[in-house]
Amino acid sequence: MTIQWFPGHMTKARRQIEDKLKLIDVVIELLDARIPLSSRNPMVDEILKGKPRMVLLNKHDLADPGVTAEWVRYFADQGLQALPIDAASGTQVKEILPRAKALWAHKIESQLRKGINPRAVRALIVGIPNVGKSTLINQLAGKKIAATGDKPGVTKGQQWIKVGTEMDLLDTPGILWPKFEDQMVGLRLAATGAIKEELLHMDDIAFFVIKYMVRHYAAGLKERFGIEELPEDLDDPNEVVKVMEAVGRKRGAIVSGGKVDLDKASLIIIRDLRAGKMGRISLETPAEF
Ligand SMILES: Nc1nc2c(ncn2[C@@H]2O[C@H](COP(=O)(O)OP(=O)(O)OP(=O)(O)O)[C@@H](O)[C@H]2O)c(=O)[nH]1
């Protein structure tokens, strides 16, 4: 699967999810805790057609905990339970089963009333590329089964995976596309690694990251790169370039003649952000929407 979503890809992805929906009881919608709305498919409500659903805010280990708490309230206001998790380390993953059972409780109760032994709740994980679907499937399965990778687009391939005796999970997730027509959404997706780097200009992504960091996480930026003065006028590109130059000098990204290699400095900023080296950072808040 490539990351360039054309209308044909979207139609195919949508059909694949609709086929899976026929088999399952509850949907586990995986979002990136750092950018919950930018990592959300714009048509998700329509595609999931009212299936009981929970939201998981993944990669919470990299997100700002205060902002994530705001997002949990945001989703609660929309009637959706959102749970911050870290699929890679397994933090809060044990909470998923009780929540899936709660979403399916009315069916379990009606089966019990009829004297039928309730079957395991059937679940499907859905989300955009690179949000951590395979990593979560592996955590829930308790062993390595799905292919994982740090580049978008590695999920391939329907089998059920037993999560204990009470939940069956489809072994291939539903792949959704993000809303990248919006330039800001594209920048946030690129900054977090959900869009392939080759498709965007590094310096545009780094510009966006620097500006956001100066506004919201100045201390983390200063500390990581030993910068004393940050720009005040963020509308002046020269000021932003000065930050890039400081990063390049600090990290030895210098070309002949002693000039800073701005492409390398951009890459350093983006890689450090993705690895959490500047602290736990969220790139959007409910208040911005
Ligand atoms: N820090 C952190 N990294 C995570 C977490 N969950 C997944 N990752 C990383 O994110 C990257 C993508 O994870 P995958 O599980 O391959 O994502 P996917 O959604 O299956 O991706 P596709 O196959 O592209 O659809 C990998 O490098 C994972 O190690 C998490 O909770 N925290």
Side-chain angles (χ1 to χ4, degrees), residues 171-186:
D171 76 333
T172 52
I175 301 173
L176 290 164
W177 58 96
K179 169 177 70 178
F180 41 79
E181 303 85 10
D182 176 326
Q183 196 207 355
M184 284 308 293
V185 172

mmCIF file of all heavy atoms in Angstrom, residues 171-186:
data_model
loop_
_atom_site.group_PDB
_atom_site.id
_atom_site.type_symbol
_atom_site.label_atom_id
_atom_site.label_comp_id
_atom_site.label_asym_id
_atom_site.label_seq_id
_atom_site.Cartn_x
_atom_site.Cartn_y
_atom_site.Cartn_z
ATOM 1 N N ASP A 171 -7.058 -10.194 12.438
ATOM 2 C CA ASP A 171 -5.586 -10.059 12.434
ATOM 3 C C ASP A 171 -5.090 -8.990 11.471
ATOM 4 O O ASP A 171 -3.934 -8.582 11.546
ATOM 5 C CB ASP A 171 -4.903 -11.403 12.149
ATOM 6 C CG ASP A 171 -4.960 -11.799 10.688
ATOM 7 O OD1 ASP A 171 -5.906 -11.365 9.998
ATOM 8 O OD2 ASP A 171 -4.074 -12.534 10.242
ATOM 9 N N THR A 172 -5.931 -8.540 10.541
ATOM 10 C CA THR A 172 -5.496 -7.421 9.696
ATOM 11 C C THR A 172 -6.369 -6.207 10.021
ATOM 12 O O THR A 172 -7.591 -6.321 10.094
ATOM 13 C CB THR A 172 -5.612 -7.748 8.193
ATOM 14 O OG1 THR A 172 -6.929 -8.212 7.931
ATOM 15 C CG2 THR A 172 -4.591 -8.783 7.775
ATOM 16 N N PRO A 173 -5.726 -5.058 10.245
ATOM 17 C CA PRO A 173 -6.497 -3.871 10.622
ATOM 18 C C PRO A 173 -7.196 -3.250 9.419
ATOM 19 O O PRO A 173 -6.923 -3.608 8.275
ATOM 20 C CB PRO A 173 -5.412 -2.926 11.152
ATOM 21 C CG PRO A 173 -4.162 -3.331 10.449
ATOM 22 C CD PRO A 173 -4.274 -4.812 10.186
ATOM 23 N N GLY A 174 -8.104 -2.331 9.696
ATOM 24 C CA GLY A 174 -8.729 -1.534 8.644
ATOM 25 C C GLY A 174 -7.874 -0.298 8.428
ATOM 26 O O GLY A 174 -7.571 0.423 9.370
ATOM 27 N N ILE A 175 -7.443 -0.102 7.179
ATOM 28 C CA ILE A 175 -6.566 1.047 6.919
ATOM 29 C C ILE A 175 -7.391 2.214 6.379
ATOM 30 O O ILE A 175 -8.106 2.082 5.385
ATOM 31 C CB ILE A 175 -5.438 0.664 5.941
ATOM 32 C CG1 ILE A 175 -4.623 -0.480 6.558
ATOM 33 C CG2 ILE A 175 -4.535 1.868 5.641
ATOM 34 C CD1 ILE A 175 -3.587 -1.075 5.643
ATOM 35 N N LEU A 176 -7.292 3.336 7.076
ATOM 36 C CA LEU A 176 -8.020 4.546 6.685
ATOM 37 C C LEU A 176 -7.033 5.582 6.168
ATOM 38 O O LEU A 176 -5.839 5.501 6.447
ATOM 39 C CB LEU A 176 -8.757 5.111 7.890
ATOM 40 C CG LEU A 176 -9.959 4.295 8.388
ATOM 41 C CD1 LEU A 176 -10.355 4.741 9.794
ATOM 42 C CD2 LEU A 176 -11.140 4.449 7.439
ATOM 43 N N TRP A 177 -7.533 6.561 5.457
ATOM 44 C CA TRP A 177 -6.662 7.613 4.943
ATOM 45 C C TRP A 177 -6.897 8.880 5.757
ATOM 46 O O TRP A 177 -8.000 9.108 6.263
ATOM 47 C CB TRP A 177 -6.940 7.861 3.464
ATOM 48 C CG TRP A 177 -8.355 8.232 3.179
ATOM 49 C CD1 TRP A 177 -8.866 9.484 3.039
ATOM 50 C CD2 TRP A 177 -9.466 7.330 3.012
ATOM 51 N NE1 TRP A 177 -10.221 9.421 2.802
ATOM 52 C CE2 TRP A 177 -10.615 8.115 2.789
ATOM 53 C CE3 TRP A 177 -9.592 5.924 3.040
ATOM 54 C CZ2 TRP A 177 -11.872 7.549 2.586
ATOM 55 C CZ3 TRP A 177 -10.850 5.374 2.842
ATOM 56 C CH2 TRP A 177 -11.960 6.183 2.617
ATOM 57 N N PRO A 178 -5.878 9.712 5.905
ATOM 58 C CA PRO A 178 -6.063 10.971 6.633
ATOM 59 C C PRO A 178 -6.616 12.072 5.724
ATOM 60 O O PRO A 178 -6.806 11.849 4.530
ATOM 61 C CB PRO A 178 -4.652 11.306 7.105
ATOM 62 C CG PRO A 178 -3.765 10.687 6.076
ATOM 63 C CD PRO A 178 -4.489 9.522 5.465
ATOM 64 N N LYS A 179 -6.807 13.237 6.324
ATOM 65 C CA LYS A 179 -7.436 14.359 5.614
ATOM 66 C C LYS A 179 -6.345 15.323 5.142
ATOM 67 O O LYS A 179 -6.288 16.451 5.544
ATOM 68 C CB LYS A 179 -8.385 15.013 6.624
ATOM 69 C CG LYS A 179 -8.991 16.317 6.284
ATOM 70 C CD LYS A 179 -9.957 16.760 7.373
ATOM 71 C CE LYS A 179 -9.290 17.150 8.684
ATOM 72 N NZ LYS A 179 -10.204 17.611 9.712
ATOM 73 N N PHE A 180 -5.443 14.868 4.302
ATOM 74 C CA PHE A 180 -4.250 15.684 4.060
ATOM 75 C C PHE A 180 -4.416 16.798 3.032
ATOM 76 O O PHE A 180 -3.451 17.445 2.668
ATOM 77 C CB PHE A 180 -3.056 14.806 3.715
ATOM 78 C CG PHE A 180 -3.402 13.669 2.809
ATOM 79 C CD1 PHE A 180 -3.543 13.873 1.470
ATOM 80 C CD2 PHE A 180 -3.612 12.399 3.329
ATOM 81 C CE1 PHE A 180 -3.887 12.826 0.636
ATOM 82 C CE2 PHE A 180 -3.972 11.347 2.499
ATOM 83 C CZ PHE A 180 -4.107 11.559 1.159
ATOM 84 N N GLU A 181 -5.650 17.032 2.550
ATOM 85 C CA GLU A 181 -5.840 18.158 1.600
ATOM 86 C C GLU A 181 -5.543 19.476 2.314
ATOM 87 O O GLU A 181 -5.153 20.452 1.689
ATOM 88 C CB GLU A 181 -7.279 18.230 1.070
ATOM 89 C CG GLU A 181 -7.780 16.988 0.390
ATOM 90 C CD GLU A 181 -8.338 15.980 1.381
ATOM 91 O OE1 GLU A 181 -8.501 16.319 2.567
ATOM 92 O OE2 GLU A 181 -8.600 14.837 0.959
ATOM 93 N N ASP A 182 -5.749 19.513 3.627
ATOM 94 C CA ASP A 182 -5.515 20.701 4.434
ATOM 95 C C ASP A 182 -4.012 20.788 4.706
ATOM 96 O O ASP A 182 -3.407 19.854 5.211
ATOM 97 C CB ASP A 182 -6.329 20.524 5.731
ATOM 98 C CG ASP A 182 -6.124 21.632 6.726
ATOM 99 O OD1 ASP A 182 -5.001 22.178 6.802
ATOM 100 O OD2 ASP A 182 -7.077 21.944 7.448
ATOM 101 N N GLN A 183 -3.421 21.925 4.370
ATOM 102 C CA GLN A 183 -1.968 22.046 4.469
ATOM 103 C C GLN A 183 -1.459 21.858 5.903
ATOM 104 O O GLN A 183 -0.441 21.206 6.132
ATOM 105 C CB GLN A 183 -1.531 23.416 3.949
ATOM 106 C CG GLN A 183 -0.051 23.464 3.652
ATOM 107 C CD GLN A 183 0.522 24.866 3.774
ATOM 108 O OE1 GLN A 183 -0.204 25.826 3.990
ATOM 109 N NE2 GLN A 183 1.829 24.983 3.659
ATOM 110 N N MET A 184 -2.185 22.428 6.882
ATOM 111 C CA MET A 184 -1.760 22.280 8.278
ATOM 112 C C MET A 184 -1.810 20.819 8.718
ATOM 113 O O MET A 184 -0.924 20.341 9.413
ATOM 114 C CB MET A 184 -2.660 23.123 9.209
ATOM 115 C CG MET A 184 -2.367 24.604 9.169
ATOM 116 S SD MET A 184 -0.623 24.979 9.425
ATOM 117 C CE MET A 184 -0.413 24.465 11.119
ATOM 118 N N VAL A 185 -2.862 20.119 8.276
ATOM 119 C CA VAL A 185 -2.979 18.698 8.618
ATOM 120 C C VAL A 185 -1.795 17.942 8.011
ATOM 121 O O VAL A 185 -1.166 17.097 8.667
ATOM 122 C CB VAL A 185 -4.332 18.119 8.124
ATOM 123 C CG1 VAL A 185 -4.376 16.609 8.297
ATOM 124 C CG2 VAL A 185 -5.490 18.778 8.864
ATOM 125 N N GLY A 186 -1.461 18.271 6.763
ATOM 126 C CA GLY A 186 -0.330 17.629 6.095
ATOM 127 C C GLY A 186 0.967 17.838 6.854
ATOM 128 O O GLY A 186 1.764 16.912 7.014
#
